[in-house]
Short mmCIF file of all heavy atoms in Angstrom, two decimals:
data_model
loop_
_atom_site.label_atom_id
_atom_site.label_comp_id
_atom_site.label_asym_id
_atom_site.label_seq_id
_atom_site.Cartn_x
_atom_site.Cartn_y
_atom_site.Cartn_z
N ARG A 1 -11.55 50.58 -16.51
CA ARG A 1 -10.17 50.52 -16.01
C ARG A 1 -9.34 51.85 -16.25
O ARG A 1 -8.68 52.25 -15.39
CB ARG A 1 -9.48 49.42 -16.74
CG ARG A 1 -9.84 47.97 -16.21
CD ARG A 1 -8.72 46.93 -16.64
NE ARG A 1 -8.64 46.85 -18.00
CZ ARG A 1 -9.46 46.03 -18.91
NH1 ARG A 1 -10.35 45.20 -18.21
NH2 ARG A 1 -9.29 45.92 -20.09
N SER A 2 -9.55 52.48 -17.50
CA SER A 2 -8.84 53.62 -17.78
C SER A 2 -9.28 54.77 -16.75
O SER A 2 -8.46 55.59 -16.18
CB SER A 2 -9.17 54.06 -19.19
OG SER A 2 -8.66 55.38 -19.48
N ILE A 3 -10.64 54.98 -16.55
CA ILE A 3 -11.07 55.99 -15.68
C ILE A 3 -10.65 55.76 -14.24
O ILE A 3 -10.24 56.70 -13.53
CB ILE A 3 -12.66 56.14 -15.75
CG1 ILE A 3 -13.01 56.53 -17.18
CG2 ILE A 3 -13.19 57.11 -14.75
CD1 ILE A 3 -14.49 56.55 -17.34
N THR A 4 -10.68 54.51 -13.86
CA THR A 4 -10.21 54.19 -12.44
C THR A 4 -8.80 54.58 -12.28
O THR A 4 -8.43 55.17 -11.27
CB THR A 4 -10.44 52.74 -12.20
OG1 THR A 4 -11.79 52.36 -12.42
CG2 THR A 4 -10.14 52.28 -10.75
N SER A 5 -7.93 54.30 -13.32
CA SER A 5 -6.52 54.60 -13.14
C SER A 5 -6.31 56.16 -13.08
O SER A 5 -5.47 56.71 -12.32
CB SER A 5 -5.73 54.02 -14.19
OG SER A 5 -5.98 54.61 -15.46
N ARG A 6 -7.09 56.93 -13.88
CA ARG A 6 -7.04 58.41 -13.89
C ARG A 6 -7.44 58.95 -12.61
O ARG A 6 -6.90 59.84 -12.06
CB ARG A 6 -7.82 58.97 -15.05
CG ARG A 6 -7.10 58.66 -16.41
CD ARG A 6 -8.01 58.81 -17.51
NE ARG A 6 -8.33 60.18 -17.86
CZ ARG A 6 -9.12 60.61 -18.86
NH1 ARG A 6 -9.77 59.70 -19.61
NH2 ARG A 6 -9.36 61.90 -19.03
N LEU A 7 -8.53 58.38 -12.00
CA LEU A 7 -9.02 58.84 -10.75
C LEU A 7 -8.09 58.54 -9.57
O LEU A 7 -7.93 59.29 -8.62
CB LEU A 7 -10.41 58.19 -10.44
CG LEU A 7 -11.55 58.86 -11.05
CD1 LEU A 7 -12.84 58.03 -10.85
CD2 LEU A 7 -11.94 60.24 -10.61
N GLU A 8 -7.26 57.51 -9.77
CA GLU A 8 -6.26 57.17 -8.78
C GLU A 8 -5.15 58.25 -8.70
O GLU A 8 -4.60 58.60 -7.63
CB GLU A 8 -5.62 55.86 -9.06
CG GLU A 8 -4.61 55.29 -8.08
CD GLU A 8 -5.18 55.12 -6.68
OE1 GLU A 8 -6.42 54.82 -6.51
OE2 GLU A 8 -4.38 55.15 -5.73
N LYS A 9 -4.75 58.80 -9.97
CA LYS A 9 -3.91 59.91 -10.00
C LYS A 9 -4.46 61.13 -9.32
O LYS A 9 -3.69 61.81 -8.63
CB LYS A 9 -3.54 60.18 -11.47
CG LYS A 9 -2.76 59.21 -12.25
CD LYS A 9 -2.39 59.66 -13.60
CE LYS A 9 -1.66 58.56 -14.36
NZ LYS A 9 -1.41 59.01 -15.77
N VAL A 10 -5.74 61.43 -9.53
CA VAL A 10 -6.35 62.47 -8.86
C VAL A 10 -6.31 62.26 -7.36
O VAL A 10 -6.05 63.31 -6.54
CB VAL A 10 -7.87 62.70 -9.38
CG1 VAL A 10 -8.54 63.72 -8.52
CG2 VAL A 10 -7.93 63.03 -10.82
N ARG A 11 -6.68 61.11 -6.85
CA ARG A 11 -6.57 60.85 -5.46
C ARG A 11 -5.22 61.10 -4.86
O ARG A 11 -5.05 61.69 -3.78
CB ARG A 11 -7.00 59.35 -5.15
CG ARG A 11 -7.28 59.03 -3.78
CD ARG A 11 -7.52 57.58 -3.51
NE ARG A 11 -6.24 56.82 -3.83
CZ ARG A 11 -5.22 56.67 -2.99
NH1 ARG A 11 -5.30 57.32 -1.81
NH2 ARG A 11 -4.17 56.01 -3.27
N ARG A 12 -4.12 60.71 -5.67
CA ARG A 12 -2.77 60.93 -5.10
C ARG A 12 -2.44 62.46 -5.16
O ARG A 12 -1.80 62.81 -4.13
CB ARG A 12 -1.78 60.18 -6.08
CG ARG A 12 -1.74 58.72 -5.84
CD ARG A 12 -0.51 58.06 -6.42
NE ARG A 12 -0.32 58.19 -7.86
CZ ARG A 12 -0.86 57.39 -8.81
NH1 ARG A 12 -1.39 56.27 -8.34
NH2 ARG A 12 -0.68 57.62 -10.04
N GLN A 13 -2.93 63.22 -6.09
CA GLN A 13 -2.69 64.60 -6.07
C GLN A 13 -3.39 65.19 -4.82
O GLN A 13 -2.80 66.13 -4.17
CB GLN A 13 -3.20 65.26 -7.28
CG GLN A 13 -2.43 64.91 -8.50
CD GLN A 13 -3.10 65.37 -9.80
OE1 GLN A 13 -4.18 65.70 -9.87
NE2 GLN A 13 -2.32 65.27 -10.93
N ARG A 14 -4.61 64.77 -4.55
CA ARG A 14 -5.33 65.36 -3.35
C ARG A 14 -4.59 64.92 -2.06
O ARG A 14 -4.51 65.77 -1.14
CB ARG A 14 -6.76 64.81 -3.32
CG ARG A 14 -7.66 65.43 -4.28
CD ARG A 14 -9.13 65.10 -4.10
NE ARG A 14 -10.07 65.89 -4.94
CZ ARG A 14 -10.44 67.03 -4.74
NH1 ARG A 14 -10.09 67.64 -3.63
NH2 ARG A 14 -11.24 67.63 -5.61
N ASP A 15 -4.07 63.69 -2.03
CA ASP A 15 -3.29 63.27 -0.94
C ASP A 15 -2.17 64.21 -0.69
O ASP A 15 -1.73 64.58 0.46
CB ASP A 15 -2.81 61.91 -1.08
CG ASP A 15 -3.77 60.80 -0.45
OD1 ASP A 15 -4.62 61.30 0.24
OD2 ASP A 15 -3.56 59.61 -0.74
N GLN A 16 -1.37 64.56 -1.72
CA GLN A 16 -0.31 65.37 -1.68
C GLN A 16 -0.66 66.83 -1.00
O GLN A 16 0.04 67.35 -0.21
CB GLN A 16 0.26 65.68 -3.11
CG GLN A 16 1.75 66.22 -3.14
CD GLN A 16 2.33 66.22 -4.44
OE1 GLN A 16 1.65 66.07 -5.44
NE2 GLN A 16 3.57 66.39 -4.54
N GLY A 17 -1.86 67.32 -1.49
CA GLY A 17 -2.32 68.66 -1.06
C GLY A 17 -2.61 68.54 0.45
O GLY A 17 -2.30 69.36 1.25
N ARG A 18 -3.29 67.40 0.88
CA ARG A 18 -3.57 67.20 2.36
C ARG A 18 -2.38 67.08 3.11
O ARG A 18 -2.26 67.60 4.21
CB ARG A 18 -4.54 65.99 2.39
CG ARG A 18 -5.91 66.22 2.06
CD ARG A 18 -6.84 65.06 2.49
NE ARG A 18 -6.66 63.85 1.66
CZ ARG A 18 -7.32 63.60 0.52
NH1 ARG A 18 -8.29 64.38 0.17
NH2 ARG A 18 -7.07 62.50 -0.10
N ARG A 19 -1.28 66.36 2.60
CA ARG A 19 0.00 66.21 3.33
C ARG A 19 0.66 67.61 3.64
O ARG A 19 1.13 67.81 4.69
CB ARG A 19 0.88 65.18 2.62
CG ARG A 19 0.61 63.81 2.76
CD ARG A 19 1.81 62.92 2.44
NE ARG A 19 2.27 63.18 1.05
CZ ARG A 19 1.79 62.51 -0.01
NH1 ARG A 19 0.83 61.58 0.15
NH2 ARG A 19 2.26 62.75 -1.17
N SER A 20 0.61 68.40 2.56
CA SER A 20 1.21 69.76 2.79
C SER A 20 0.50 70.59 3.78
O SER A 20 1.01 71.27 4.51
CB SER A 20 1.28 70.55 1.48
OG SER A 20 0.00 70.71 0.90
N ARG A 21 -0.91 70.44 3.80
CA ARG A 21 -1.69 71.15 4.84
C ARG A 21 -1.44 70.66 6.19
O ARG A 21 -1.38 71.42 7.15
CB ARG A 21 -3.24 71.02 4.49
CG ARG A 21 -3.59 71.88 3.27
CD ARG A 21 -5.08 72.03 3.20
NE ARG A 21 -5.90 70.87 3.23
CZ ARG A 21 -6.34 70.26 2.11
NH1 ARG A 21 -5.94 70.72 0.98
NH2 ARG A 21 -7.11 69.12 2.20
N ARG A 22 -1.20 69.30 6.34
CA ARG A 22 -0.92 68.73 7.59
C ARG A 22 0.48 69.15 8.07
O ARG A 22 0.60 69.43 9.30
CB ARG A 22 -0.99 67.19 7.53
CG ARG A 22 -2.41 66.59 7.60
CD ARG A 22 -2.38 65.10 7.90
NE ARG A 22 -1.78 64.35 6.92
CZ ARG A 22 -2.48 63.84 5.81
NH1 ARG A 22 -3.74 63.97 5.76
NH2 ARG A 22 -1.73 63.04 4.99
N ARG A 23 1.39 69.27 7.18
CA ARG A 23 2.75 69.68 7.56
C ARG A 23 2.74 71.13 7.99
O ARG A 23 3.43 71.51 8.99
CB ARG A 23 3.70 69.59 6.35
CG ARG A 23 4.21 68.21 6.14
CD ARG A 23 5.53 68.19 5.28
NE ARG A 23 5.24 68.77 3.94
CZ ARG A 23 4.82 67.95 2.92
NH1 ARG A 23 4.66 66.68 2.97
NH2 ARG A 23 4.64 68.59 1.71
N ALA A 24 1.83 71.93 7.45
CA ALA A 24 1.70 73.29 7.73
C ALA A 24 0.76 73.52 9.08
O ALA A 24 0.51 74.65 9.44
CB ALA A 24 1.17 74.20 6.63
N GLU A 25 0.28 72.40 9.52
CA GLU A 25 -0.54 72.40 10.73
C GLU A 25 -1.82 73.25 10.51
O GLU A 25 -2.28 73.86 11.41
CB GLU A 25 0.12 72.91 12.00
CG GLU A 25 1.34 72.14 12.35
CD GLU A 25 1.06 70.70 12.82
OE1 GLU A 25 -0.09 70.53 13.25
OE2 GLU A 25 1.94 69.88 12.93
N VAL A 26 -2.43 73.23 9.27
CA VAL A 26 -3.63 73.99 8.93
C VAL A 26 -4.84 72.94 9.10
O VAL A 26 -4.91 71.98 8.33
CB VAL A 26 -3.63 74.48 7.48
CG1 VAL A 26 -4.82 75.27 7.15
CG2 VAL A 26 -2.40 75.41 7.33
N PRO A 27 -5.63 73.24 10.05
CA PRO A 27 -6.89 72.34 10.21
C PRO A 27 -7.81 72.38 9.02
O PRO A 27 -7.91 73.49 8.33
CB PRO A 27 -7.50 72.90 11.49
CG PRO A 27 -6.56 73.88 12.10
CD PRO A 27 -5.68 74.33 11.03
N THR A 28 -8.54 71.23 8.76
CA THR A 28 -9.52 71.20 7.74
C THR A 28 -10.88 71.02 8.36
O THR A 28 -11.09 70.13 9.10
CB THR A 28 -9.23 70.05 6.72
OG1 THR A 28 -7.94 70.27 6.12
CG2 THR A 28 -10.25 70.02 5.59
N VAL A 29 -11.81 71.98 7.98
CA VAL A 29 -13.19 71.86 8.40
C VAL A 29 -14.04 71.62 7.13
O VAL A 29 -14.05 72.30 6.20
CB VAL A 29 -13.64 73.22 9.07
CG1 VAL A 29 -15.13 73.07 9.41
CG2 VAL A 29 -12.80 73.60 10.16
N SER A 30 -14.80 70.50 7.13
CA SER A 30 -15.61 70.06 6.02
C SER A 30 -17.09 70.20 6.31
O SER A 30 -17.61 69.85 7.41
CB SER A 30 -15.29 68.58 5.74
OG SER A 30 -15.98 68.16 4.54
N LEU A 31 -17.78 70.74 5.27
CA LEU A 31 -19.31 70.83 5.36
C LEU A 31 -19.90 69.57 4.80
O LEU A 31 -19.65 69.18 3.72
CB LEU A 31 -19.72 72.06 4.47
CG LEU A 31 -19.42 73.42 5.01
CD1 LEU A 31 -19.67 74.51 3.91
CD2 LEU A 31 -20.11 73.82 6.28
N VAL A 32 -20.73 68.93 5.61
CA VAL A 32 -21.47 67.76 5.16
C VAL A 32 -22.97 67.99 5.47
O VAL A 32 -23.27 68.84 6.28
CB VAL A 32 -20.94 66.49 5.82
CG1 VAL A 32 -19.48 66.23 5.48
CG2 VAL A 32 -21.09 66.57 7.33
N GLY A 33 -23.82 67.22 4.94
CA GLY A 33 -25.22 67.28 5.16
C GLY A 33 -26.07 66.70 4.06
O GLY A 33 -25.57 66.37 2.97
N TYR A 34 -27.31 66.71 4.28
CA TYR A 34 -28.26 66.24 3.24
C TYR A 34 -28.42 67.22 2.10
O TYR A 34 -28.04 68.40 2.33
CB TYR A 34 -29.70 66.14 3.89
CG TYR A 34 -30.59 65.11 3.28
CD1 TYR A 34 -30.45 63.81 3.52
CD2 TYR A 34 -31.61 65.51 2.43
CE1 TYR A 34 -31.23 62.88 3.00
CE2 TYR A 34 -32.38 64.48 1.84
CZ TYR A 34 -32.23 63.19 2.21
OH TYR A 34 -33.04 62.23 1.56
N THR A 35 -28.73 66.84 0.96
CA THR A 35 -28.72 67.70 -0.22
C THR A 35 -29.74 68.72 0.03
O THR A 35 -30.71 68.49 0.53
CB THR A 35 -28.99 66.98 -1.53
OG1 THR A 35 -29.04 67.82 -2.52
CG2 THR A 35 -30.32 66.13 -1.41
N ASN A 36 -29.46 69.94 -0.41
CA ASN A 36 -30.32 71.19 -0.34
C ASN A 36 -30.50 71.69 1.11
O ASN A 36 -31.50 72.25 1.44
CB ASN A 36 -31.63 70.89 -1.00
CG ASN A 36 -32.40 72.26 -1.54
OD1 ASN A 36 -31.70 73.21 -1.79
ND2 ASN A 36 -33.64 72.29 -1.47
N ALA A 37 -29.55 71.31 1.99
CA ALA A 37 -29.61 71.85 3.36
C ALA A 37 -29.07 73.25 3.48
O ALA A 37 -29.21 73.85 4.55
CB ALA A 37 -28.91 70.92 4.25
N GLY A 38 -28.33 73.71 2.43
CA GLY A 38 -27.74 75.10 2.46
C GLY A 38 -26.34 75.17 2.68
O GLY A 38 -25.83 76.17 3.09
N LYS A 39 -25.59 74.04 2.29
CA LYS A 39 -24.16 74.02 2.61
C LYS A 39 -23.43 75.00 1.71
O LYS A 39 -22.52 75.70 2.25
CB LYS A 39 -23.62 72.64 2.25
CG LYS A 39 -24.12 71.53 3.22
CD LYS A 39 -23.49 70.22 2.85
CE LYS A 39 -23.88 69.69 1.54
NZ LYS A 39 -25.33 69.47 1.40
N SER A 40 -23.72 75.14 0.42
CA SER A 40 -23.04 76.07 -0.48
C SER A 40 -23.34 77.54 -0.14
O SER A 40 -22.36 78.46 -0.22
CB SER A 40 -23.42 75.79 -1.89
OG SER A 40 -22.91 74.51 -2.30
N THR A 41 -24.49 77.80 0.27
CA THR A 41 -24.95 79.16 0.64
C THR A 41 -24.10 79.52 2.01
O THR A 41 -23.64 80.76 2.04
CB THR A 41 -26.41 79.27 0.92
OG1 THR A 41 -27.10 78.83 -0.17
CG2 THR A 41 -26.84 80.67 1.36
N LEU A 42 -24.02 78.62 2.85
CA LEU A 42 -23.22 78.93 4.09
C LEU A 42 -21.70 78.99 3.73
O LEU A 42 -21.05 79.94 4.32
CB LEU A 42 -23.42 77.78 5.08
CG LEU A 42 -22.65 77.85 6.42
CD1 LEU A 42 -23.10 79.09 7.21
CD2 LEU A 42 -22.81 76.63 7.27
N PHE A 43 -21.25 78.24 2.83
CA PHE A 43 -19.89 78.28 2.41
C PHE A 43 -19.51 79.65 1.79
O PHE A 43 -18.56 80.26 2.09
CB PHE A 43 -19.60 77.21 1.37
CG PHE A 43 -18.22 77.03 0.80
CD1 PHE A 43 -17.29 76.43 1.55
CD2 PHE A 43 -17.80 77.79 -0.31
CE1 PHE A 43 -15.89 76.29 1.03
CE2 PHE A 43 -16.51 77.68 -0.81
CZ PHE A 43 -15.55 76.90 -0.13
N ASN A 44 -20.45 80.13 0.90
CA ASN A 44 -20.27 81.48 0.31
C ASN A 44 -20.32 82.57 1.36
O ASN A 44 -19.57 83.55 1.25
CB ASN A 44 -21.40 81.69 -0.80
CG ASN A 44 -21.22 80.80 -2.03
OD1 ASN A 44 -20.03 80.42 -2.34
ND2 ASN A 44 -22.24 80.57 -2.71
N ARG A 45 -21.15 82.40 2.32
CA ARG A 45 -21.28 83.46 3.41
C ARG A 45 -20.15 83.49 4.20
O ARG A 45 -19.54 84.61 4.60
CB ARG A 45 -22.55 83.15 4.32
CG ARG A 45 -22.72 84.04 5.41
CD ARG A 45 -23.23 85.35 5.05
NE ARG A 45 -24.53 85.32 4.41
CZ ARG A 45 -25.18 86.40 3.92
NH1 ARG A 45 -24.68 87.64 4.15
NH2 ARG A 45 -26.42 86.27 3.41
N LEU A 46 -19.44 82.34 4.55
CA LEU A 46 -18.28 82.38 5.44
C LEU A 46 -17.00 82.76 4.67
O LEU A 46 -16.17 83.49 5.27
CB LEU A 46 -18.03 81.02 5.99
CG LEU A 46 -19.13 80.45 6.99
CD1 LEU A 46 -18.84 79.03 7.36
CD2 LEU A 46 -19.21 81.35 8.16
#
């Protein structure tokens, strides 16, 4: 219960960050994929 409530606070903080990005009309592009597909290597390259 304690960890769940702390994660809920984290979720609200992330929501706040996303709302500010939406207000600024900044698009979000997310890397997804199977593990070890090279997402972090591509992220570092870009």
